[in-house]
Amino acid sequence: MRVFKFGGASVKDAAGVKNVYDVLQKVGYEDVLLVVSAMGKTTNALEAVIKDYFDKSAALQSSVQEVKKYHNQILLDLFEDDKNAVFTAVNALFSDLEYFLAHNKSPNYNFVYDQIVSYGELISTTILSHFMNHMGIQTQWIDVRSFIKTNSNYRDAEVDWDLTQKNISKNVKRKILNITQGFLGSDENNFTTTLGREGSDYTAAIFAYCLNADSVTIWKDVPGVMNADPRYFENARLLNHISYREAIELAFYGATVIHPKTLQPLQKKEIPLYVKSFINPLLEGTEVSKGAALEPYLPCFIVKRNQLLISLSSIDFSFIMEENISSIFSLFHQFKIKVNLIQNSAISFSVCVEDKFDNFKQLNTILSKNFKVDFTENVTLYTIRHFNEDAALTVENGKTVLLKQISTETMQIVTSGN
Ligand code: ADP
Ligand code: ASP
Ligand code: MG
């Protein structure tokens, strides 16, 4: 069996959905499980709905309406006959969402988030499944929440592998085209959970692992994994092959083309991962499997913007030792600030962090009681795997370097500005 994953960008409009059909025609669809994300930027749009819901904002109706309008347009572009059963099916999902918004009593933000945001994937897979049937490809729509069981850590749920394995081995039918939702799972009480933003790649890996699949293919708007994000590096080149280890490193440092959790389950069973273009599905793309680190052997660039560089020094010139460091880290954890680089010297301690939830101001008040705190906002963190002198120059050219750290395989450079 093969597992395919189509992300939001691949199904952002009617042309995208039709293209999925074309890809399946070209590469085959028997004995395939299709994992699909929410269409385009639907997850972000549903996050806006959640915000309005908690803010008790008058804009709530219109933010729901926006999600409806977007999907309705796709439906109208895909199906000439508005009596097609898909219209009723999608309307029913929106009615469920509206019912939830009107009747929910839980004040738990993360719980509510998962119940709402999941409609993105439920709707996209409903549309895709109906469209494939309409085009003559019979599909089996499956509700992933009956398969992937998790704990109740809403928004970042952990998979219960034993239960998930049992459900998948017993109930996924072979020899047909299955369609299911990425990103979702359900807990012990069958409430919807999610696996973390961008988690659909991970869903594909979970199914592949439990099905002992032959391969996973994630279909992208790029030719494969490249040695840099082509949005930022015009000379980015395709990597034909990378090892699991290398892919894990790239994903860890922030190459957003593969979700970091995807690789471990695949590596365990040595299931190859292909990253291919949904525009040119017959091109080779990238194969992630056992073997040489990367071919061709090139420096790989990863860019993280909007970082914060914080430097802490002791007020009394004492050393910053384990005890301080451990309390500093538990504060970062508490304030949900993600540390991407650490540099330590006798009396100062620097970190490059991501403050996604705007918590640093609050944290700074606490840190300032014990440390002298200096910080620079809006810095950029570059990571170069397999660096060489030229690669470093490409990054540093014309920029102010604030910090640089070198290990055997990896160079990290923090520059001012975005
Ligand atoms: P999906 O629709 O599956 O969620 P994403 O938009 O998350 O797809 O991922 C594809 C994007 O990842 C590309 O458009 C590209 O800009 C970006 N990207 C980041 N790093 C790389 C890389 N090293 N190689 C290829 N693409 C990359
Ligand atoms: N739709 C979810 C997100 O946007 C999951 C995914 O696309 O992988 O985060
Ligand atoms: Mg994505």
Side-chain angles (χ1 to χ4, degrees):
M1 195 167 206
R2 290 177 295 165
V3 177
F4 290 171
K5 181 255 172 173
F6 284 91
S10 66
V11 290
K12 68 176 194 302
D13 50 22
V17 177
K18 288 179 183 164
N19 183 60
V20 172
Y21 172 78
D22 290 341
V23 171
L24 293 175
Q25 288 293 350
K26 286 186 180 135
V27 302
Y29 50 83
E30 195 187 297
D31 212 16
V32 164
L33 182 126
L34 215 62
V35 173
V36 184
S37 305
M39 296 177 139
K41 302 269 178 244
T42 298
T43 307
N44 293 356
L46 288 167
E47 283 186 341
V49 168
I50 295 158
K51 185 170 184 308
D52 289 342
Y53 174 77
F54 276 100
D55 291 352
K56 301 197 165 41
S57 159
L60 178 63
Q61 294 305 327
S62 69
S63 50
V64 175
Q65 215 46 43
E66 211 170 290
V67 182
K68 263 192 189 173
K69 245 174 62 191
Y70 167 68
H71 287 92
N72 209 42
Q73 188 56 54
I74 295 180
L75 284 177
L76 292 171
D77 292 343
L78 287 174
F79 302 90
E80 315 78 62
D81 177 8
D82 65 4
K83 302 277 179 306
N84 188 301
V86 70
F87 287 91
T88 319
V90 171
N91 269 333
L93 288 167
F94 277 113
S95 300
D96 289 352
L97 168 62
E98 280 163 343
Y99 184 89
F100 177 84
L101 292 170
H103 294 91
N104 168 61
K105 298 271 187 305
S106 169
N108 178 343
Y109 185 92
N110 291 346
F111 166 82
V112 171
Y113 179 101
D114 281 359
Q115 310 318 301
I116 295 179
V117 89
S118 55
Y119 282 93
E121 272 71 12
L122 292 170
I123 295 167
S124 69
T125 50
T126 300
I127 296 178
L128 255 96
S129 174
H130 278 84
F131 184 71
M132 295 307 150
N133 293 341
H134 178 66
M135 298 298 286
I137 302 183
Q138 285 312 309
T139 58
Q140 174 79 32
W141 184 89
I142 55 185
D143 187 334
V144 74
R145 296 169 298 180
S146 317
F147 291 81
I148 297 184
K149 299 304 288 184
T150 69
N151 64 7
S152 299
N153 190 15
Y154 299 108
R155 294 185 74 182
D156 195 17
E158 276 162 42
V159 174
D160 179 331
W161 284 94
D162 286 343
L163 273 178
T164 302
Q165 174 73 69
K166 275 190 200 128
N167 292 337
I168 292 180
S169 322
K170 221 169 70 195
N171 296 320
V172 172
K173 294 203 191 92
R174 309 263 173 164
K175 299 282 168 223
I176 53 161
L177 176 63
N178 293 282
I179 297 192
T180 199
Q181 307 78 39
F183 181 48
L184 316 183
S186 75
D187 66 8
E188 200 179 14
N189 296 310
N190 295 327
F191 284 116
T192 306
T193 57
T194 62
L195 307 173
R197 284 298 311 259
E198 302 291 330
S200 298
D201 292 355
Y202 184 40
T203 306
I206 297 168
F207 273 99
Y209 180 91
C210 295
L211 290 165
N212 290 317
D214 299 312
S215 63
V216 173
T217 307
I218 52 182
W219 299 95
K220 295 278 174 181
D221 59 355
V222 283
V225 180
M226 312 184 77
N227 75 324
D229 186 337
R231 274 179 304 182
Y232 307 127
F233 285 72
E234 48 179 325
N235 299 321
R237 284 175 56 192
L238 178 69
L239 303 170
N240 303 102
H241 176 267
I242 48 183
S243 65
Y244 292 111
R245 162 79 203 276
E246 187 59 33
I248 289 169
E249 295 279 355
L250 292 174
F252 169 79
Y253 285 113
T256 53
V257 66
I258 308 174
H259 188 278
K261 279 188 181 169
T262 311
L263 294 148
Q264 263 107 352
L266 300 181
Q267 182 182 28
K268 269 198 201 153
K269 289 205 173 165
E270 291 185 12
I271 299 169
L273 169 70
Y274 298 102
V275 183
K276 290 192 183 213
S277 157
F278 60 69
I279 301 153
N280 294 304
L282 297 177
L283 294 184
E284 296 247 319
T286 303
E287 175 176 337
V288 182
S289 59
K290 254 172 66 168
L294 72 166
E295 286 162 14
Y297 189 85
L298 294 169
C300 297
F301 300 85
I302 300 140
V303 187
K304 277 182 179 275
R305 299 182 195 277
N306 293 319
Q307 305 284 297
L308 179 64
L309 183 64
I310 309 168
S311 182
L312 306 173
S313 32
S314 46
I315 293 169
D316 55 4
F317 291 99
S318 64
F319 295 145
I320 297 202
M321 298 299 280
E322 289 82 351
E323 207 182 295
N324 296 328
I325 294 175
S326 105
S327 63
I328 294 168
F329 267 91
S330 58
L331 283 168
F332 283 136
H333 179 68
Q334 195 183 319
F335 283 87
K336 294 196 167 75
I337 293 178
K338 185 164 180 288
V339 179
N340 289 324
L341 181 146
I342 307 158
Q343 188 141 299
N344 197 14
S345 78
I347 51 161
S348 91
F349 179 76
S350 301
V351 279
C352 185
V353 303
E354 211 163 299
D355 182 22
K356 238 192 197 162
F357 303 99
D358 274 335
N359 288 337
F360 177 65
K361 219 170 159 194
Q362 237 182 315
L363 172 64
N364 193 8
T365 335
I366 302 176
L367 288 173
S368 301
K369 288 183 190 147
N370 298 316
F371 302 97
K372 179 176 171 300
V373 182
D374 293 300
F375 64 92
T376 318
E377 291 174 301
N378 295 326
V379 302
T380 301
L381 170 63
Y382 291 89
T383 303
I384 316 174
R385 293 273 301 158
H386 314 288
F387 61 92
N388 57 30
E389 219 170 285
D390 274 358
L393 282 176
T394 315
V395 167
E396 289 170 15
N397 233 338
K399 301 191 189 83
T400 310
V401 174
L402 303 173
L403 193 154
K404 193 162 163 175
Q405 196 173 77
I406 301 177
S407 66
T408 2
E409 299 276 19
T410 310
M411 176 185 277
Q412 293 194 285
I413 301 170
V414 179
T415 66
S416 61
N418 265 319

